[in-house]
Amino acid sequence: VQYSLANDYNGWFEVDRTSGAIRLMKELDYETQQFYNLSVKAKDRGKPVSLLSVTSVEIEVVDVNENLYAPYFSQFALKATVKENARIGTTLLQVTANDDDASRDGEIQYSIRDGSGLGRFAINEETGMIYTTDILDRETKDSYWLTVYATDRGVVPQFATTEVFIQVEDVNDNAPLTSEAMYQCTVHENSPDGVSVIQIQAQDPDDTALSSDKLSYHIISGNPQNLFTINTNTGLITTTSRKLDREQQAEHNLEVMVSDSGPSPKHSVVWVTVRVLDENDNKPIFPEKIYQVKLPERERRKKGEPIYRVFAYDRDEGPNSDLSYTIVDGNEDTKFFIDPKTAVLSSRKAFAAGSYNILTIKATDNGRPQKSSTARLHIEWIRRPLAAPPLQFDQPFYNFTVMENDKVSEIVGVVSLQQSSTTVWFDITGGNSDSVFHVDKTVGTIIIAKPLDAEQQPSYNLTVQATDGTKTAHTQVHVTVLDNNDNAPVFSQPTYDVTVSEDIPPDAEVVQVVASDRDKHHQLSYSLQSSIDPSSMRFFRIHPTLGTIYTLQSLDHEACALHILTITCKSLDNIVNLRVNCIKRH
């Protein structure tokens, strides 16, 4: 068999006719040609006809390192900016490198291999154009560094790097945040104009150059009489020239709106509860200025026994309404003494029919400075009846009902006797703890003598006695004190911080808020009142009676990583606000 080449590429290759070995006859250049296709013939010497066969041999030229020059950038570092609300795929800048090699050794590919922006940015390997691959949030991270590589295509590749600094520019996408979810403060009634009440402190997560430097504050509800004003620049709430009166309104709920001044202004709302502190600006009040009574003659007693009760009340609260009683006139011979707390007048002395006593009773509060008022008590002593039929009440027992917010001196009910021709006097002889009730001596009308509190004592069983001076009769009076909604609901904790995953499904439970109320038989109801970001209201709902918060739709961490909600719990007109922080994470 003999071998030959159909094409030796102008003498570059040669084949041994006997062995078939292919030899290289000239030096090859990888950059000129990388592949050669040779056709090799094999022919025998047969008789009468020789036969042949043809095959192809592909020769690949392997490059040796002629990559002399590394790529280079014209600048050591570059800077780019991008807005935080830029869409994914937004281009930032194009980097360019050069390479003085020719052919493949001079061809460059770009890549990002290091830096804080890995995963947030990418680069086109051919053009060097850098673009975003994620949603950016300046409030989370306001800048990134990228290390960009330019690598050639040499057999032994060479590379160069440059640093790219990316500044994330702010957009006004955050509402101002107040330092507290709800503010509670106090101020004295009758305060003069300009007294500081509380300062609302807020900050804007956005760039101060855009908004936080220019927050504005406004009271948008709860101030119909303009009792308060707010400095629109500092958030300081102060009193006005209009006087506060605790007895007229003890608590004010102000709704304050905080707005930034950036493009497309954002705002948030916070509640401020102002409790008005009492000042001793009311004198004690006697239901009557002059009391005229006729009482049966009395013999001298071994110990003092009650004669009459002249009580007062005070519209102030606390120590300012804590009254003490004294006899300031008409008791020169010290026949009478008065209980300083209950105002029950007593005596051990004898009083004959036909005699008179005129006493001046003084009620003084415990405020600073103290205030007082007086009432006159005219007592006429009359004879006891010599003979009279037995006394008997119309009913063996009475049931009366009052509201706990009924005022002192209001009527509870009237007890009466069956027809009697003689004068009769009534007294409460039992069950009247702390002397809360009083019965009119001659009429039998039971009235409130001290403020009631259904939470402290919801009912009383009074024993009422009637006497004509000789005979007596008794009856039982049951007084039920009905609860009034005078206590605000109280949440089990002041704030709720909740962490949820952004893949939480719709209608999933987030958290249950719980409130309690000292008042009885009042149904609590829960509602979502507001949110810092108005869009948060679309993502959550709350069960009106259980207080359980659920998702309404899927959450997106990139769109909003923090939801701040205001929860309202109502029992009639009482409101408590609570902020729920729903923090979303990957």
Side-chain angles (χ1 to χ4, degrees):
V1 177
Q2 291 184 335
Y3 301 94
S4 62
L5 293 176
N7 180 11
D8 62 3
Y9 285 90
N10 296 321
W12 288 93
F13 299 96
E14 177 184 85
V15 64
D16 187 284
R17 295 178 62 84
T18 305
S19 66
I22 299 174
R23 298 185 182 90
L24 179 65
M25 303 307 293
K26 297 180 181 180
E27 195 173 275
L28 299 175
D29 185 0
Y30 174 84
E31 282 71 31
T32 302
Q33 187 169 344
Q34 292 85 39
F35 293 94
Y36 294 88
N37 287 307
L38 304 179
S39 295
V40 180
K41 296 180 181 178
K43 184 176 181 181
D44 63 18
R45 298 181 180 182
K47 301 292 185 176
V49 178
S50 62
L51 301 176
L52 65 86
S53 179
V54 179
T55 188
S56 294
V57 178
E58 184 180 86
I59 297 175
E60 179 182 0
V61 181
V62 178
D63 191 23
V64 295
N65 187 21
E66 297 177 353
N67 190 10
L68 301 178
Y69 303 102
Y72 60 90
F73 289 96
S74 60
Q75 294 177 280
F76 171 74
L78 299 169
K79 181 179 179 180
T81 60
V82 60
K83 290 191 178 297
E84 64 175 323
N85 63 344
R87 294 183 178 180
I88 294 176
T90 300
T91 56
L92 278 68
L93 84 161
Q94 186 176 19
V95 298
T96 303
N98 298 301
D99 193 317
D100 293 337
D101 288 311
S103 189
R104 288 174 58 88
D105 291 338
E107 295 178 5
I108 296 175
Q109 286 184 315
Y110 299 95
S111 61
I112 299 173
R113 303 184 191 176
D114 199 3
S116 59
L118 286 175
R120 301 279 186 181
F121 304 91
I123 190 169
N124 186 300
E125 66 176 15
E126 299 295 334
T127 65
M129 182 65 72
I130 297 175
Y131 58 92
T132 61
T133 59
D134 200 356
I135 297 294
L136 305 176
D137 182 12
R138 189 204 68 85
E139 288 71 43
T140 302
K141 190 171 181 60
D142 62 358
S143 63
Y144 297 89
W145 280 99
L146 301 176
T147 302
V148 178
Y149 283 70
T151 307
D152 63 28
R153 296 177 182 267
V155 174
V156 180
Q158 298 194 67
F159 66 89
T161 63
T162 189
E163 300 296 322
V164 178
F165 177 74
I166 299 175
Q167 182 71 54
V168 183
E169 293 184 337
D170 188 48
V171 296
N172 194 30
D173 59 346
N174 290 278
L177 293 175
T178 56
S179 60
E180 301 291 336
M182 179 183 180
Y183 291 89
Q184 294 183 331
C185 54
T186 59
V187 64
H188 283 280
E189 64 175 331
N190 303 314
S191 292
D193 186 10
V195 172
S196 297
V197 178
I198 194 171
Q199 184 168 15
I200 307 303
Q201 297 180 337
Q203 62 178 359
D204 196 322
D206 292 315
D207 190 356
T208 56
L210 281 179
S211 55
S212 189
D213 227 8
K214 299 179 181 178
L215 295 180
S216 60
Y217 303 82
H218 299 276
I219 299 174
I220 58 176
S221 72
N223 192 33
Q225 298 177 331
N226 293 321
L227 296 170
F228 303 93
T229 185
I230 190 168
N231 187 304
T232 57
N233 296 319
T234 65
L236 178 64
I237 297 177
T238 57
T239 58
T240 66
S241 58
R242 306 196 67 173
K243 299 297 184 184
L244 293 164
D245 185 356
R246 187 205 64 83
E247 289 73 41
Q248 184 177 5
Q249 186 172 348
E251 189 174 273
H252 299 265
N253 290 305
L254 308 178
E255 188 178 11
V256 176
M257 182 174 69
V258 187
S259 306
D260 61 34
S261 57
S264 302
K266 301 284 186 179
H267 69 269
S268 58
V269 173
V270 66
W271 287 91
V272 181
T273 299
V274 182
R275 186 166 61 89
V276 181
L277 300 179
D278 187 52
E279 283 204 343
N280 195 27
D281 56 350
N282 291 280
K283 296 196 303 182
I285 300 173
F286 285 95
E288 298 179 35
K289 293 299 293 181
I290 299 177
Y291 295 83
Q292 294 181 325
V293 295
K294 295 180 179 182
L295 299 178
E297 58 185 342
R298 291 164 57 105
E299 297 177 353
R300 183 177 178 84
R301 311 293 174 89
K302 291 183 178 181
K303 63 179 182 177
E305 291 189 3
I307 294 176
Y308 199 75
R309 185 184 187 189
V310 179
F311 67 90
Y313 61 93
D314 196 312
R315 294 179 61 211
D316 294 315
E317 68 173 1
N320 295 334
S321 65
D322 187 10
L323 303 182
S324 59
Y325 299 89
T326 55
I327 304 172
V328 296
D329 191 25
N331 193 33
E332 289 76 11
D333 53 1
T334 64
K335 288 184 177 181
F336 302 93
F337 56 92
I338 191 169
D339 188 299
K341 291 301 178 185
T342 64
V344 174
L345 187 71
S346 302
S347 178
R348 292 192 298 267
K349 304 296 185 179
F351 296 95
S355 61
Y356 294 86
N357 293 100
I358 300 177
L359 304 175
T360 300
I361 311 297
K362 181 180 181 180
T364 306
D365 63 29
N366 198 31
R368 293 292 182 270
Q370 290 182 316
K371 293 184 179 294
S372 62
S373 59
T374 60
R376 300 285 294 276
L377 174 60
H378 293 209
I379 304 175
E380 178 185 355
W381 300 97
I382 62 174
R383 293 188 181 278
R384 293 193 184 96
L386 298 177
L391 301 178
Q392 186 174 355
F393 280 93
D394 284 338
Q395 300 179 32
F397 57 87
Y398 293 81
N399 283 304
F400 299 126
T401 300
V402 294
M403 295 295 297
E404 67 173 335
N405 61 335
D406 285 347
K407 298 183 181 303
V408 173
S409 79
E410 289 190 5
I411 296 175
V412 176
V414 179
V415 295
S416 58
L417 296 172
Q418 294 179 358
Q419 189 171 2
S420 174
S421 58
T422 59
T423 303
V424 179
W425 295 274
F426 298 90
D427 281 298
I428 300 175
T429 59
N432 193 20
S433 58
D434 202 27
S435 301
V436 170
F437 299 99
H438 171 71
V439 63
D440 188 286
K441 198 78 171 176
T442 58
V443 181
T445 303
I446 299 175
I447 60 177
I448 300 172
K450 289 186 178 181
L452 302 171
D453 186 353
E455 285 75 40
Q456 185 174 354
Q457 187 163 347
S459 64
Y460 294 82
N461 286 304
L462 307 178
T463 301
V464 177
Q465 173 185 282
T467 181
D468 59 6
T470 304
K471 301 179 177 61
T472 59
H474 297 84
T475 189
Q476 295 300 122
V477 178
H478 181 80
V479 181
T480 301
V481 182
L482 296 181
D483 182 41
N484 184 57
N485 192 21
D486 58 349
N487 292 283
V490 177
F491 280 95
S492 60
Q493 58 190 77
T495 59
Y496 288 77
D497 293 314
V498 184
T499 301
V500 295
S501 173
E502 67 177 334
D503 58 4
I504 187 173
D507 209 37
E509 180 177 337
V510 177
V511 68
Q512 183 179 21
V513 296
V514 179
S516 58
D517 195 330
R518 288 184 61 209
D519 297 315
K520 297 179 179 179
H521 313 301
H522 290 291
Q523 178 70 49
L524 298 181
S525 63
Y526 301 88
S527 62
L528 291 178
Q529 179 177 327
S530 62
S531 60
I532 295 295
D533 187 339
S535 64
S536 296
M537 298 291 284
R538 303 197 306 265
F539 291 93
F540 303 94
R541 68 176 179 88
I542 190 168
H543 193 286
T545 57
L546 299 179
T548 306
I549 299 174
Y550 300 91
T551 55
L552 278 174
Q553 52 183 294
S554 298
L555 304 177
D556 186 354
H557 172 77
E558 287 70 33
C560 185
L562 176 65
H563 299 274
I564 301 178
L565 310 175
T566 299
I567 311 301
T568 298
C569 179
K570 292 185 178 180
S571 172
L572 293 183
D573 293 329
N574 291 320
I575 300 173
V576 173
N577 291 278
L578 184 70
R579 209 158 60 169
V580 178
N581 302 284
C582 296
I583 301 172
K584 290 216 341 62
R585 294 177 180 169
H586 286 295

